[in-house]
Amino acid sequence: MNPDIVKERQNASFDVQKLTYILDGGPEKTKRRREISLVLNDPDFDEEDPNFLSRSERYEQAVRKSAQMILKLREYGISDPAEINCYKSVVRGNFHESLGLHYVMFLPTLYSQCDQEQSKKWLPLATSFEVLGTYAQTELGHTHLRGLETTATFDPTTQEFVLNSPTVTSIKWWPGAGKTSNHAVVLAQLYTRGKCHGLHAFIVQLRHMDTHEPLPILVGDIGPKFGFSEVDNGFLKLDHVRIPRENMLMKHVEPDGRYVKPASAKLTYGTMVFIRSLLVGLSALVMAKSCTIAIRYSAVRHQSEIRSEPEPQILDYQTQQYKLFPLLATAYAFSFVGQYMTETYYRISGDINQGDLSELPELHAVSAGLKAFTTWTTNTGIEVCRMSCGGHGYSRSSALPDLYAEFTPTCTYEGENTVMMLQTAYLVKSYRQAKAGEQLRGIMSYLNDMEQRHVRAHPASARPALVDINDLSDLVESYKLRAALVESAAKSIQQELQKRRSHEDAWNNSAIDLVKASDAHCHYMVVKLFTDKLSEIGDPDINLVLTTLAQLYALHGIALNSGDFLQAGLLTVPQMQQIPVRIKELLCLIRPNAVALVDAFDFPDKVLSSVLGRYDGNVYENLFEWARRSPLNATEVHESFHKYLK
Ligand SMILES: CCCCCCCCCCCCCCCCCCCCC/C=C/C(=O)SCCNC(=O)CCNC(=O)[C@H](O)C(C)(C)COP(=O)(O)OP(=O)(O)OC[C@H]1O[C@@H](n2cnc3c(N)ncnc32)[C@H](O)[C@@H]1OP(=O)(O)O
Ligand SMILES: Cc1cc2nc3c(=O)[nH]c(=O)nc-3n(C[C@H](O)[C@H](O)[C@H](O)COP(=O)(O)OP(=O)(O)OC[C@H]3O[C@@H](n4cnc5c(N)ncnc54)[C@H](O)[C@@H]3O)c2cc1C
């Protein structure tokens, strides 16, 4: 064990194990997660570091691993979805799996959109993996749902739908598992009796069940990408492909071609809402991994000098702490927000299943906004962590390049982040409702008293100082008032309308304000949820260290967005000047606990797959060991010497 890291652990002021229990949701859950993690010792999962493999080899290794996972899950009798998720995230490490889409999109779509008869037919096939599925929605030319071109036209004479991609732009593009899957949920515009009824989901067989040869359908892999090398993101061109009427999910078309309207057309989009909700937790996980790597490495890396003494640990540099500790605070904040998002998703989708759709718009708005907010922050955060590790962060051995490459598309998939932030229509609507005197419920209820507060652009000097920067509840309040930026967005729309612009143009001309408002709303939610969580934590040592992190998270956010807080008159200039001073104090308070705080995330070394983030801190000897395994070192003299240099 590296002596620096041993010392760090001795300095901790709290019980690491107890904090792990809080993150997991209780000691029993930690125990079970650790039991499941023992799968890492299974030799059947021994594999080559994907960084040393070609794309095709990586895909093959991933398919083998996916198949192994299925067999092992059966062998160990793991069937609870949360446990399956835990098991898979351990085995996957920092990479995706080739059957990922089957689990996260195909199966959930079947579960939520099959009627009884369809469930009877498709669920046994899909859960036994005879049917391997993908989710084919995006097209080469469009992602916007109303713009999708693939059609499904009902033919009452044969009781079939005819699926067609009439143009190049309508070719389905991106769905994972282009080579792996034999079925797809295809999203297409439904036509019956000559009328378009919008987007609906259809089950389409793509490949022969025994030979895996494509049916008369053009299907394949779209080629190498920035990351996602384990995943065969695919293309799919359908040329008048016929499927039985029964393959339409939720069966909206009667045998005579009559269309039966669903309770809400938006139920078809449910799988996206599900994944967006999950991505909030994934952001927490990846932020936590990145911080673990960068902070452990910073504790063992010595460089340069502060005084004329032996080189200090780089974690002692104030600038290093300023890079990493706000991200550590973010990892904790997002962990609690992830828990909230999961609970909210299951609560509201439970109501939806019972026929109560009243909270569907809120679920959509919250999951879209938090997905965008947390993935954007994490995406930037991973890169800060990588840079904070200097040159060694650039090596794939650090895992940080892989974490970035695998995570960054979360900002794009399941709804591009700007587009998701623009789903703030809901916020503006809520604001208008509140202004009209309606009492809002839930997370939007803070808009109820906006009108009384009159939070607008005021000269700071004209307003009383509302905020004690050392008081978390005051900080939450100020974030809440800043979220009144939605008022500026609503006003901008109003002004545009007064210029006789159409509603659509008014909306587009106010889009920057809308995205800002959405960002402010999400930021408020995160600060509030983090602070709320503290009241549940009884252990005084843990409460203290998490309160310090929550204060840092809140103050750092204010420092980054000082213009908003000053403009709204929520803080005065002298208070603003106090914030960097307080942030520096908080960095000093967090410093002795930094390693313990990342230890509490409890990532096994094999899951982190990072030489820099090793628990034992023995970085240098293992960097050397890793480099020696590089395929270029397989021979002492590379064949290129003989071919070209000699
Ligand atoms: C230490 C920490 C521990 C933490 C542990 C936690 C661990 C958790 C780990 C979990 C791991 C899970 C891993 C998951 C990741 C796996 C990898 C996944 C692989 C990638 C797969 C990617 C798939 C895809 O990308 S599929 C394609 C996705 N496509 C999109 O998202 C398209 C985006 N566009 C849209 O959604 C729409 O076009 C939209 C919303 C922009 C516009 O909708 P519209 O209907 O076309 O038009 P509009 O008129 O604007 O809207 C009408 C109306 O409807 C409302 N609306 C829209 N959508 C919805 C909805 N979904 N639900 C409800 N309502 C909706 C909209 O607001 C409008 O409302 P009104 O204004 O009131 O009319
Ligand atoms: C790794 C990966 C895996 C994927 N897996 C799947 C899958 O399994 N199944 C599937 O169906 N799809 C999948 N996708 C596709 C993904 O869902 C889309 O890429 C995503 O929805 C974004 O759409 P787009 O690529 O068309 O971007 P575009 O929408 O073209 O975005 C380009 C730019 O235009 C801007 N823009 C677009 N519309 C607006 C607007 N209304 N207002 C303001 N700005 C706008 C965006 O902000 C962005 O800056 C995957 C994508 C990736 C990268």
Side-chain angles (χ1 to χ4, degrees), residues 477-507:
E477 187 65 13
S478 65
Y479 269 92
K480 173 165 134 182
L481 293 172
R482 173 201 175 220
L485 276 175
V486 66
E487 191 174 40
S488 314
K491 279 205 172 125
S492 166
I493 294 174
Q494 201 52 41
Q495 281 162 3
E496 290 292 323
L497 288 171
Q498 278 160 5
K499 290 184 206 157
R500 296 183 174 281
R501 302 218 206 280
S502 68
H503 180 75
E504 291 75 13
D505 285 339
W507 182 266

Side-chain angles (χ1 to χ4, degrees), residues 126-145:
T127 50
S128 65
F129 304 96
E130 267 178 81
V131 160
L132 295 174
T134 182
Y135 184 87
Q137 182 172 294
T138 311
E139 297 173 358
L140 248 178
H142 297 98
T143 198
H144 184 66
L145 303 180

Side-chain angles (χ1 to χ4, degrees), residues 394-439:
Y394 191 67
S395 165
R396 292 272 178 102
S397 67
S398 74
L400 290 164
D402 288 327
L403 281 171
Y404 186 81
E406 299 305 305
F407 186 81
T408 191
T410 58
C411 299
T412 306
Y413 63 59
E414 295 303 350
E416 199 279 330
N417 276 357
T418 305
V419 176
M420 289 298 98
M421 283 293 193
L422 282 170
Q423 286 296 304
T424 44
Y426 184 74
L427 270 181
V428 172
K429 250 193 217 166
S430 302
Y431 168 74
R432 286 188 184 137
Q433 285 165 347
K435 218 168 139 91
E438 236 177 87
Q439 281 295 302

Side-chain angles (χ1 to χ4, degrees), residues 325-395:
F325 295 171
L327 295 176
L328 177 61
T330 306
Y332 273 91
F334 288 1
S335 299
F336 302 134
V337 178
Q339 288 172 1
Y340 162 85
M341 193 64 250
T342 307
E343 283 158 20
T344 305
Y345 174 81
Y346 285 109
R347 179 179 62 75
I348 300 182
S349 56
D351 292 346
I352 292 170
N353 290 339
Q354 300 300 314
D356 173 5
L357 304 184
S358 58
E359 288 194 80
L360 176 63
E362 176 158 339
L363 178 62
H364 163 57
V366 169
S367 58
L370 284 180
K371 175 268 188 191
F373 185 84
T374 56
T375 58
W376 259 335
T377 310
T378 302
N379 188 54
T380 317
I382 304 166
E383 183 58 359
V384 172
C385 288
R386 185 187 71 73
M387 294 277 217
S388 76
C389 295
H392 294 323
Y394 191 67
S395 165

Side-chain angles (χ1 to χ4, degrees), residues 137-190:
Q137 182 172 294
T138 311
E139 297 173 358
L140 248 178
H142 297 98
T143 198
H144 184 66
L145 303 180
R146 272 173 292 141
L148 296 179
E149 295 177 72
T150 301
T151 54
T153 308
F154 185 59
D155 178 352
T157 55
T158 60
Q159 292 291 300
E160 288 171 320
F161 290 103
V162 184
L163 278 104
N164 199 25
S165 329
T167 57
V168 175
T169 46
S170 68
I171 296 171
K172 293 289 177 192
W173 203 263
W174 279 115
K179 301 298 281 185
T180 320
S181 55
N182 53 25
H183 280 70
V185 166
V186 173
L187 277 288
Q189 306 289 356
L190 167 70

